[in-house]
Amino acid sequence: MSIKIYLPFNYYYLKKPTNLYGQVQINEDNVVAYYVLEASVLEFRDKAIDHASSDMRFLGSILNVDFNADQIQYLKFNMRLCFTYNSSQANITLVYTGITPEYLKHIKLILYEKPMLRNLFVGGESVNNRPIEHNDNDSSDCDFLELSRLTQPTEEALRNPKNSTKNSVLYMLTLIADFPITVFKYVVENVFVNSIMVHTSIYKHFKEWQTTCDGRSRPANIALDRILGMILMLILFSLATQPGDFLIQISHYVIDELYSLLKVLEGSPIGLKLNIHLNNFFLDCFKYHIELWSTFLDFIEPLVRQVFLAIGVFGCLGLTFQIALLVDLISIIGLHSHCFYIYTKVLYNVERKGLSVLWQVVRGNRYNILKGRTESHNYMNRQLYLATIFFSAILFLFPTTLVYYIVFAALKALTFATLSMFEFFRRKLLNLPIEGCVKRLLKGCNDIDCLQIKDVLPHETDFLMHKHQKIDVTVYKITAL
């Protein structure tokens, strides 16, 4: 068994009678950890002292060396720790611990600074928002995490009358900020609307955003998200005179580019000799599809012109909601190119499978389903004749289908890459350790990996007398790299 005493750095040089309050924990490896958190003016009573508040326990005191208390007096005042000071020594000295086993040879007195521990982060995440995982951390890290949690401001301090006005203003601002998301949540959870939006990017983002918001692990990200959304909303409403026209121009630009692409495929792209009849069939089908889509866009043009108004209004919810809505709009604009990819993919797979099967027939083989292997088979002449004809026809048509499949697969990959970039930025905006970075810049926040323990050399070697035995007391200090 060993003893660790975590003491605020300024208390180590305190020279006045003081009561100490905090917590005591006994870890699984039989390490007794005393966490000294607060201090108050010494008030001895005839009976034992229980606690200073509902959150902390009375641990002991800092007394003048002339106190000369014995074991009975320490027990009388329910002390677990006792330090003494004198005029000739700069620091206090440990003279009593409530748990002192016979085989104890060493005590660690670890000094810390509250601002450093309060702003402790683990992997860019605040300690308050992260549960302790004893299996993933060593004992010292667990002590630091627990100490950081214990040094956080209590609810009583947060309910201080001095902060009541500030808390009231923040509460009103929070209600105003949460009103748009409350309305959106009510609309989305409607049965009819939910059945339509369940597969959209904005609905999926709403679920992710709600999980992040309910977990209260990224308040700075949520605040930044809303601020950026409001800024973009003001830009759209003030600087852009007709933002809806921009979306119409993009839609027609995509249509014109598809026409240009089909015009290139109409001849001999990069010197390839395509099948004339199949190529003309593809061109007629795809051009008709584009004309149909162009007519549909002209029909819904008044509605499309108001889409940017919706993007601007969604700024009240946050920039990530605007990005999610933009992803859905890009998917709608590129719907016809996605259809072309599906058509060519199906035809490509059919021809590839047909060539694979007919090649086995031409070679005089077949696949035995029962035995799971390819074996020889005697086909009739008419079967070989038909197989050869179909194989030759598909073989000469396959290059044309392959060219169209590659072109529209590349177009699909480009669209997917664009949407993935927006999705990546949207998710990163909610998961970046913004709070940790801000606190590092403003309050000197420290990551747990940057903490180290250094020796503090006192003027004289400290030790604790217990039953005429000397127990060494080594003093350390938690510092940051």
Side-chain angles (χ1 to χ4, degrees), residues 186-223:
Y186 176 77
V187 173
V188 167
E189 290 180 351
N190 182 272
V191 177
F192 177 73
V193 178
N194 185 270
S195 61
I196 299 176
M197 297 184 60
V198 67
H199 297 295
T200 60
S201 295
I202 193 168
Y203 180 80
K204 296 177 181 177
H205 170 68
F206 168 70
K207 287 300 182 181
E208 295 176 6
W209 187 91
Q210 191 175 30
T211 302
T212 304
C213 190
D214 293 342
R216 301 183 182 276
S217 59
R218 292 286 188 265
N221 298 61
I222 300 297

Side-chain angles (χ1 to χ4, degrees), residues 1-2 30 100-106 466 469 471:
M1 178 178 288
S2 60
N30 292 327
T100 311
E102 296 294 335
Y103 55 85
L104 182 64
K105 299 297 183 182
H106 189 260
H466 178 71
Q469 293 183 358
I471 301 176

Side-chain angles (χ1 to χ4, degrees), residues 7 9-16 62 83-93 111 456-460 462:
L7 183 73
F9 182 76
N10 56 325
Y11 294 175
Y12 187 59
Y13 300 98
L14 195 62
K15 289 195 173 184
K16 64 179 180 179
I62 300 175
F83 298 89
T84 60
Y85 64 90
N86 54 41
S87 57
S88 62
Q89 193 171 3
N91 54 273
I92 61 177
T93 304
L111 308 180
V456 176
L457 299 177
H459 297 288
E460 298 179 358
D462 288 340

Side-chain angles (χ1 to χ4, degrees), residues 119-185:
N119 297 323
L120 187 64
F121 274 69
V122 180
E125 186 175 355
S126 177
V127 171
N128 286 336
N129 301 326
R130 180 182 183 275
I132 297 180
E133 298 176 357
H134 294 281
N135 295 332
D136 298 333
N137 301 288
D138 58 25
S139 58
S140 61
D141 286 351
C142 290
D143 287 345
F144 293 162
L145 293 175
E146 183 63 24
L147 185 60
S148 179
R149 284 187 173 87
L150 293 174
T151 54
Q152 300 298 325
T154 60
E155 294 183 0
E156 294 180 359
L158 295 176
R159 291 196 298 264
N160 193 331
K162 296 181 180 179
N163 299 327
S164 59
T165 304
K166 178 181 178 181
N167 294 335
S168 300
V169 173
L170 291 177
Y171 179 73
M172 293 300 298
L173 293 176
T174 302
L175 287 180
I176 296 173
D178 288 342
F179 178 74
I181 194 65
T182 304
V183 175
F184 181 78
K185 180 179 179 181

Side-chain angles (χ1 to χ4, degrees), residues 65-78:
V65 71
D66 298 332
F67 181 71
N68 290 328
D70 56 12
Q71 183 81 11
I72 298 176
Q73 287 180 292
Y74 292 131
L75 296 175
K76 175 183 176 182
F77 293 108
N78 197 22

